[in-house]
Amino acid sequence: MDITVHRPGELTAADRAVWTALQSKAHLHGSPELANPFLSPEFTLAVARCRRGVRIAVAREDGEPAAFFPFQRSITGVGRAIGLGVSDCQGLVHRPGFAWDARELLRACGLAMYEFDHLAGGQGPFEAGASGSFASPVMDIDQGYEAYLGQLKAKSPKFARSTLAKERRLGRDHGTVRYVHDERDPAVLRTLMEWKSAQYRRTGRSDRFAQPWIKQLVGQLFHTRFDQFAGLLSVLYVDEIPVAAHFGMRSERVIAQWFPAYDPEYAKYSPGLIMHLRMAEAAAADGIAYLDLGRGQKQYKDSLKTRELTVSEGWVALRHPAAIGYRTRRAPVRALRNTVLSRPEFFEPADKLLKQMGKIRSRKKE
């Protein structure tokens, strides 16, 4: 196995085509997780325009590309998954049957360690370093929207009935309900980011859109459009007024949910849930196999899901001072966070406190 490391601009068009083809055929070879748009060359290249240290390792067998491994590297040799902190699917994209040694790969990439927090399933050499595994709910629509809706009604009849009734009530109270699956108006994207920032502040969470590089990344992806990858802005309107929106990405077969939000003035109608059902209907018509709702415990995800994927977090490392120091700093924080998130008796008081702090901050700004 021959491994070479490239800056993003050095990746040839031929190599990018092979990378995309591996994703396109992943479901045929029993690795559908590799089709996730977060694992696409376009996402890696977009991150590279916003962040330093992006590199792509290409592993070749008999002179042909067999695997692609994107990562971000610090000056001390600490490697992180591409877009760590905002990426919901990470790992190495490879041909069927490809085998690799994680530490051999690290040495070839000049890395002391590699950290991940949403490692895709089937990444055995990396999974050996996982410190925890987590559910990532999905909405299966490969059999069509009516089949999905039938499953939803069978699993949660009250939820399905209530959501569909709220859509009708929204129309009666405020006017025509209209859904746009692929909105191209950047003004609506700005509205979505404003809603999301307000939601982060309201719930006491860190505002991702306060970080310039994340706003830049979303803007880059909004304008990225290829047959097998695109940024996707989906919007629910009432009489031409946006009431819910979502920005994510699509590959040939997968939509990755990323930034959903809605106008709180319409909260009683659950516009976000209505939008997700409309999105599933439109995506099914486009030949999408499933919507990946992403890691995280949320009631709406539990209501909408048909099954769950598993993603992992952790790191693989060489015996190196940089790796030891980094893990010493990061491990206790990560362990504490996961304990809080996984234990209702800890999570509920912490969540309540964060929301109270968010309200206090909002009052101060007023």
Side-chain angles (χ1 to χ4, degrees):
M1 182 172 61
D2 174 40
I3 300 173
T4 55
V5 180
H6 308 264
R7 295 176 182 273
E10 298 169 349
L11 198 66
T12 68
D15 283 346
R16 282 183 59 178
V18 173
W19 186 342
T20 299
L22 290 176
Q23 287 195 283
S24 180
K25 298 174 182 178
H27 68 288
L28 300 175
H29 303 295
S31 303
E33 297 92 341
L34 296 184
N36 193 291
F38 281 107
L39 294 176
S40 69
E42 290 80 10
F43 180 71
T44 291
L45 295 174
V47 173
R49 298 184 191 104
C50 307
R51 305 291 278 174
R52 296 179 179 177
V54 173
R55 299 290 185 271
I56 303 161
V58 182
R60 300 179 190 275
E61 292 179 333
D62 300 323
E64 297 296 323
F68 297 85
F69 174 54
F71 60 93
Q72 292 174 247
R73 184 185 187 279
S74 73
I75 58 174
T76 60
V78 171
R80 309 177 80 197
I82 283 291
L84 189 77
V86 296
S87 167
D88 288 347
C89 190
Q90 301 152 1
L92 181 143
V93 178
H94 57 87
R95 66 166 57 155
F98 178 77
W100 77 95
D101 179 271
R103 287 169 179 78
E104 178 186 349
L105 180 61
L106 293 188
R107 283 190 285 269
C109 294
L111 298 177
M113 64 174 293
Y114 171 66
E115 181 183 16
F116 49 85
D117 62 1
H118 286 75
L119 183 71
Q123 305 267 319
F126 289 151
E127 287 172 352
S131 57
S133 297
F134 307 89
S136 185
V138 303
M139 299 166 63
D140 288 300
I141 52 174
D142 55 327
Q143 300 302 310
Y145 176 69
E146 291 304 322
Y148 165 75
L149 192 59
Q151 283 185 276
L152 189 65
K153 289 177 178 178
K155 182 188 75 167
S156 308
K158 183 177 179 181
F159 168 80
R161 188 168 56 249
S162 171
T163 303
L164 295 172
K166 285 179 180 179
E167 179 175 0
R168 293 191 294 271
R169 194 180 314 130
L170 176 62
R172 288 196 302 269
D173 293 350
H174 295 281
T176 304
V177 178
R178 181 171 67 93
Y179 172 76
V180 177
H181 190 56
D182 188 9
E183 176 62 78
R184 302 312 304 156
D185 185 352
V188 185
L189 180 63
R190 290 193 293 271
T191 297
L192 168 61
M193 289 192 283
E194 290 168 3
W195 286 343
K196 199 67 182 177
S197 289
Q199 178 190 339
Y200 287 137
R201 294 192 299 268
R202 191 168 59 247
T203 56
R205 270 65 175 182
S206 175
D207 181 3
R208 287 181 171 179
F209 290 117
Q211 300 184 54
W213 79 269
I214 295 179
K215 289 184 72 172
Q216 182 185 356
L217 175 62
V218 168
Q220 291 273 352
L221 291 166
F222 176 71
H223 293 289
T224 301
R225 301 179 68 77
F226 296 96
D227 289 343
Q228 293 173 311
F229 176 94
L232 186 67
L233 175 63
S234 301
V235 187
L236 186 74
Y237 289 93
V238 174
D239 267 2
E240 306 308 313
I241 298 172
V243 296
H246 165 261
F247 182 77
M249 296 172 290
R250 66 148 183 85
S251 62
E252 188 176 9
R253 292 183 55 80
V254 180
I255 288 179
Q257 178 189 264
W258 206 9
F259 294 111
Y262 61 86
D263 185 339
E265 290 188 13
Y266 295 85
K268 69 178 182 179
Y269 301 100
S270 301
L273 293 175
I274 297 169
M275 178 189 64
H276 274 82
L277 292 183
R278 290 287 195 103
M279 186 160 48
E281 183 177 22
D286 280 351
I288 296 292
Y290 65 88
L291 280 67
D292 189 338
L293 301 178
R295 169 186 166 184
Q297 294 178 324
K298 299 287 185 182
Q299 185 175 352
Y300 80 92
K301 295 183 182 182
D302 285 339
S303 299
L304 292 167
K305 73 182 181 182
T306 53
R307 62 185 172 96
E308 295 174 341
L309 301 175
T310 299
V311 296
S312 304
E313 71 173 28
W315 36 60
V316 289
L318 304 178
R319 293 183 180 275
H320 191 284
I324 295 170
Y326 189 83
R327 291 181 63 174
T328 300
R329 293 192 306 273
R330 292 279 290 171
V333 175
R334 177 169 285 181
L336 177 61
R337 184 200 66 201
N338 288 335
T339 298
V340 171
L341 290 175
S342 64
R343 302 276 294 275
E345 66 269 31
F346 296 151
F347 174 75
E348 290 172 8
D351 185 56
K352 185 177 180 180
L353 178 60
L354 284 173
K355 289 177 179 176
Q356 289 173 343
M357 292 173 64
K359 290 178 181 178
I360 293 170
R361 289 173 187 157
S362 296
R363 291 194 195 106
K364 286 182 177 179
K365 288 187 177 182
E366 291 173 359

